[in-house]
Amino acid sequence: MSLSIEQVLQQAVAVLSTSSDSAQLDAEILLADILQKDRTFLRTWPEHRLTNEQARQFSDLIKRRQQGEPVAYITGKQGFWSLALSISNDTLIPRPETELLVEQALQIIPQNICWQIMDLGTGSGAIALALAKERPASHFVATDIDFASLKLAQQNAVAHHIMNVHFVAAHWLTPFNAELQLDMVVSNPPYIMSGDPHLKQGDVRYEPERALASGKTGLDDIRLIIKQSYTQLKPEGWLLIEHGYHQAEDLHQLMHEQGFISINNLRDYGNQPRLSLCQKKDKR
Ligand code: GLN
């Protein structure tokens, strides 16, 4: 006799609870993915029976999760803002705290004026695509140093019919030597100290280190982004950077030294300093 949704979920949660602190959620997402239904279906039809093939597939996915692989890499999907994004282990898994950057940028970008905006190190395209969808009048360029990430981000743009983002292979703003006169630069760069034990723990182990770690202090890339952005922004243009919870003062200092003004720092939903923003001086 084949097993019901309720039964396989119970077994899976028992297996995962020793290795994952979100065992119930993980099991539900993986099962919903196999059944190609949403999680509400699982709650509504707990007595629905799986085919043997589905049960076998589910147990394979549970094994992968038990060994530590992040749910988002197993399903190849992650929700961010209003978008269901395809992801792969070439990119960081978009985090809920990064929605703070999107929320803040949207407070600044006007609705019906064409701003020129760059997203540096776009990964799966999460930030650029969320902003571009909300601000169709603006034009976005999203860069990444990794071709596989750019391809994925582009696929996400196509899947969501987002036409106002262009993707360019670049290491931050290095290849752009003319003044771009940008209205805004946004970035969620790597900012963890290389050698930080956090890199060897949990889901983070599976993510590309190039997207996470940035030198001894974690500030190597941020330093470069602040410097290069100043050159490429127009007067009064904005820079928004996500960073580690202990880096707000460092960013303030670096932004100030570069000549940025209106420097501000915002906390994420976990009440950790997570985003710094500033403006290039006007011409006066
Ligand atoms: N916030 C992420 C973490 O601590 C890191 C993201 C990043 O480096 N941009 O896992």
Side-chain angles (χ1 to χ4, degrees):
M1 178 83 158
S2 60
L3 295 171
S4 69
I5 285 180
E6 190 175 20
Q7 288 168 324
V8 292
L9 278 178
Q10 250 171 27
Q11 289 175 358
V13 173
V15 171
L16 292 183
S17 51
T18 50
S19 57
S20 165
D21 45 23
S22 51
Q24 180 75 31
L25 181 64
D26 295 356
E28 287 182 14
I29 293 173
L30 293 173
L31 185 55
D33 193 57
I34 283 176
L35 301 179
Q36 303 206 342
K37 304 280 185 199
D38 57 23
R39 283 170 49 226
T40 318
F41 178 90
L42 310 178
R43 302 277 168 97
T44 317
W45 306 105
E47 70 290 354
H48 173 90
R49 293 191 180 278
L50 276 66
T51 65
N52 289 339
E53 177 58 16
Q54 287 168 335
R56 194 188 53 74
Q57 284 174 354
F58 183 55
S59 110
D60 284 351
L61 299 195
I62 292 299
K63 263 185 220 134
R64 284 167 65 185
R65 179 62 190 141
Q66 192 192 9
Q67 280 156 17
E69 197 172 342
V71 173
Y73 285 155
I74 299 176
T75 61
K77 290 186 217 133
Q78 176 72 19
F80 180 79
W81 199 250
S82 62
L83 305 170
L85 296 175
S86 292
I87 61 152
S88 76
N89 54 6
D90 293 313
T91 75
L92 211 66
I93 300 168
R95 312 266 202 276
E97 55 266 30
T98 303
E99 294 184 354
L100 174 68
L101 192 158
V102 173
E103 205 175 277
Q104 195 57 36
L106 289 176
Q107 302 217 356
I108 301 170
I109 310 168
Q111 279 282 2
N112 298 314
I113 301 173
C114 178
W115 270 26
Q116 303 292 334
I117 300 169
M118 280 183 76
D119 173 23
L120 309 182
T122 199
S124 60
I127 296 172
L129 295 173
L131 292 177
K133 184 153 185 231
E134 303 278 348
R135 292 292 181 273
S138 282
H139 178 241
F140 295 80
V141 173
T143 70
D144 207 286
I145 199 167
D146 178 61
F147 278 98
S149 300
L150 282 174
K151 193 169 160 202
L152 189 74
Q154 187 132 35
Q155 284 166 358
N156 280 322
V158 172
H160 290 281
H161 311 289
I162 296 170
M163 316 288 266
N164 53 330
V165 185
H166 286 88
F167 297 92
V168 175
H171 181 240
W172 313 128
L173 289 160
T174 307
F176 305 94
N177 45 22
E179 277 190 46
L180 294 175
Q181 292 287 309
L182 300 168
D183 294 283
M184 181 182 275
V185 173
V186 296
S187 185
N188 174 19
Y191 51 71
I192 299 174
M193 293 183 277
S194 43
D196 187 318
H198 177 63
L199 295 167
K200 301 267 173 284
Q201 288 161 14
D203 288 7
V204 179
R205 283 175 296 163
Y206 286 78
E207 297 185 297
E209 191 157 331
R210 97 185 113 66
L212 290 161
S214 186
K216 246 195 228 147
T217 59
L219 290 168
D220 286 7
D221 291 290
I222 284 180
R223 199 173 278 119
L224 199 56
I225 289 169
I226 290 176
K227 189 164 186 275
Q228 294 183 337
S229 298
Y230 198 84
T231 311
Q232 302 293 359
L233 284 165
K234 60 158 78 153
E236 298 185 44
W238 291 86
L239 171 62
L240 283 78
I241 305 183
E242 179 179 318
H243 53 75
Y245 65 92
H246 57 289
Q247 292 170 330
E249 276 178 33
D250 293 323
L251 267 91
H252 194 111
Q253 175 81 9
L254 290 168
M255 287 170 162
H256 177 73
E257 281 168 10
Q258 189 61 53
F260 279 105
I261 56 167
S262 331
I263 304 167
N264 215 334
N265 175 268
L266 295 173
R267 286 169 184 264
D268 63 20
Y269 313 123
N271 204 28
Q272 302 283 7
R274 182 66 61 198
L275 175 68
S276 286
L277 61 160
C278 58
Q279 248 182 317
K280 185 167 170 168
K281 268 197 230 141
D282 63 17
K283 284 199 196 98
R284 278 167 294 154

